[in-house]
Structures are given as C-alpha cells and as structure tokens.
Amino acid sequence: MKKILITGAAGFIGSHVARLFVNKYPDYEIYNLDKLTYAGNLENLKDIDKAPNYQFILGDIVNSDFVMNLFKEHKFDGVIHLAAESHVDRSIENPMEFIMTNIVGTVNLLNAAKTIWEGDYEDKRFYHVSTDEVYGSLGNEGFFYEDTPYDPHSPYSASKASSDHLVRAYNDTYGLPVIISNCSNNYGPNQFPEKLIPLFINNIRHNKPLPVYGKGENVRDWLYVIDHAAAIDVIYHKGATGETFNIGGHNEWTNIDLIKVVCKVMDKKLGHEPGTSEKLITFVTDRAGHDLRYAIDSSKLQNELGWKPSLQFEEGIDLTIDWYLNNEEWLNNVTSGNYQKYYDEMYGNR
Ligand code: NAD
Ligand code: TYD
C-alpha cells in the first residue's frame, strides 16, 4: 500500500491529479491536504470523495507544526505538491500570501519529508509541481528548455522559482528524492474564473466586457488539464530522481486570437449571431511586468517517458466550454461571496 499526499487537490489541477490517482491506483491511499482558500473547492472532488482510498485533510502548509505532525502520523511514501497561490494578478496586489504559501509552505513540506524519511529514501518521492513562468519571458522566437536560466518577473513566478530552487537544494544537500515539472498554461474544467479562459466564458454568459490586457499580443502555450495530470502520473512513476521535466503541448496562441476562438465557440453554443461575443472585447491597461511569450519544449518528457498530449486544442476548448455551460451551478457557487469584491477591485476602474 502506497500512501501519497497530494497538496492542493481541491484546486484546479490538483483535483484532476487526485481523480486520476484515486481511480487508476486503487491500491494507493491518496490524501488531499488543502486549506480551501477561495481557489479550493471540495465540489471539484465530489465524484471521488467517498472512494475507500481517498481522504481529505483540511490544513495550511504554512503551519510547520501541523505539517510535521501530519507527516509523523501518516508516514507518507510520496508527496505530489500542487498547493499554491497561483494567480499572477493577485500576486501583484498581495505578494506576501505567495511568499508564505509558495515558499515557506514548500519548505515545511520538504522538512517534514526529510524528517520522517530519515535518509531512507527507498521508494520515496517528493514531486514538486511548478510552472514555465519561472523561465521568464521569450521574444518572438525560441522555447523554454529544462536548462533555461530562471528569470521570473511577477511575485507569483518569483515565489515559484524560489520554491523550485529550494526543492533542488534539498536534493543536493540532503539527498531528498525530489522531482520537478514545469508546465505551460492549463485550461479545462474546474479552473477558477479569475484565469483568462473561464473568466471570459463566465463574462460572455453574463454579457459583460472581456478585459484584454494591453493589445492582446502576449502569447501563452495552452495545455488541457487532463494531459497535465497524465504527465504528472508518468513523471511521478517513471522520472528519475533529481530530474526536471518541462510539460507543454506546442500550442501557442496570442491572447487576442485565443479570445476570438472562445467567442466564436460561445456564440455557436449559445445560439447567438456570429460576432456577438467579440463585441464584448475591451482593451484595458496592461498587467504590470506582463511577460510577452511563454513556449515550452517538452521533447525530453516525450522522448524519455513517452508522454504526449492527447487532445487537439479545438477539441479541448470545445470540451471546456461545454463543461462550464453544463456546470452553471459550479460557476455560480464559486463566483458568489468574495468573488465580486475581487472582480470590482481588479477590473472595476478599467
Ligand atoms: P489553484 O489556485 O486552482 O489551486 C491551488 C490549491 O491550493 C487550492 O485548492 C487552494 O485551496 C490550495 N492552497 C492554497 N494555499 C494553501 C495553503 N497554504 N495550504 C494548503 N493548501 C493551499 O491552482 P492550480 O491552477 O490548480 O495550480 C496548481 C499548481 O500547479 C500550482 O503549484 C501552480 O503553480 C502549478 N501550475 C499551474 C498552472 C496553471 O495554468 N494553472 C500551470 C503550471 C503550473
Ligand atoms: P492568466 O490566465 O492569468 O495566466 P498567466 O498570467 O499565468 O499566463 O492569463 C493568461 C493571459 O491572458 C496573460 O497574458 C494575461 C491575459 N489576461 C487578460 O488579457 N485579461 C484578463 O482578464 C486575464 C485574467 C488575463
């Protein structure tokens, strides 16, 4: 029986990883440690929450005593660490939450794993899930490789970069069996509607403006979340200790082109005249320090471990939009409460 702790599994990507592991590995015990911040939602896991091999633990990774005691109690064999503050715009408004959760929280988990494993690393693994944003911003050409020097620009990416360095330091210094992946932008079901795609789907539903930062010329490399979860599974089981893997689907879009696709598909699905949603596009003040372009080279993962994305973007965006339209209750629930306050602070004056 393997005991695996997944942190942040009530969030967007974590919920897909937990579902995959709970269903695919009935002989593993999967523990989900999550603080249930605004981004954490147990509704994301309602199809697995009664599974015999799944358990939810409410808790904050920033609390070092709590984390240490939890590890001592459960003696996890593996950790898949996704818990984080994850939204760039929020990191610009309030960096300290990002420093605490993304850096201090990660070190608390590393310390706890180091303590309970006591140098006996046989069949142990600490998997740190990170982002391509640590590599900084590309010009019009080129890709991020695993050895691209780190050059983060936002408090979010700087906090993730710090945590990546600390994870590697625990491997170099204490021999902790770590592995890291850096993934491009994810999209799909259960993403909190502060991120571009679900925000715009939700705004189109409510006939609200679509706030495009700057000229919409920034480029992101989009991967369907289920493909990210599949990559995490392969890397967790087959990746060599100490290695880093980039994850991405060679699927680059300028924001404005991507938004036009979302508008077109939404018009079709809502039975609106073509062009209706595009009229909502509103260019607003650019994000401070806005990275121009992200693009991942994932050939190491593809060649060494045989992973590749399963979905074409057209298929993925179609499934994604269907999910949000079929799960209006989920959208309404997560956008009640503090969401309006966040929205007004973020977009109210633009
Ligand atoms: P998310 O914001 O949807 O979910 C984060 C989860 O972590 C939430 O359930 C939240 O409650 C939990 N959490 C936050 N602070 C916590 C704390 N102090 N203690 C315990 N739990 C806490 O994030 P996501 O988009 O699913 O991202 C998951 C991970 O993947 C993050 O580490 C992120 O950096 C990384 N990542 C995300 C993307 C992306 O496009 N979303 C791309 C690459 C990598
Ligand atoms: P986002 O989903 O926040 O992901 P990230 O900043 O981590 O890449 O944003 C994706 C892109 O969309 C990014 O270039 C910023 C842009 N964007 C907008 O133009 N308007 C918005 O309201 C948001 C949230 C993002």
Side-chain angles (χ1 to χ4, degrees), residues 87 133 185 194 196 199 211 213 220 255 287 290 347:
H87 189 41
E133 304 193 23
N185 285 60
E194 61 186 353
L196 182 71
L199 179 79
Y213 298 161
R220 295 292 181 266
N255 290 340
R287 173 187 279 171
H290 197 172
Y347 299 105

Side-chain angles (χ1 to χ4, degrees), residues 200 210-218 255-256 259 281-288 290 292 347 350:
F200 279 29
L210 305 177
V212 180
Y213 298 161
K215 296 189 179 133
E217 286 167 347
N218 304 66
N255 290 340
I256 193 68
I259 291 157
I281 291 176
T282 310
F283 292 94
V284 300
T285 313
D286 207 353
R287 173 187 279 171
H290 197 172
L292 177 65
Y347 299 105
R350 300 204 240 188

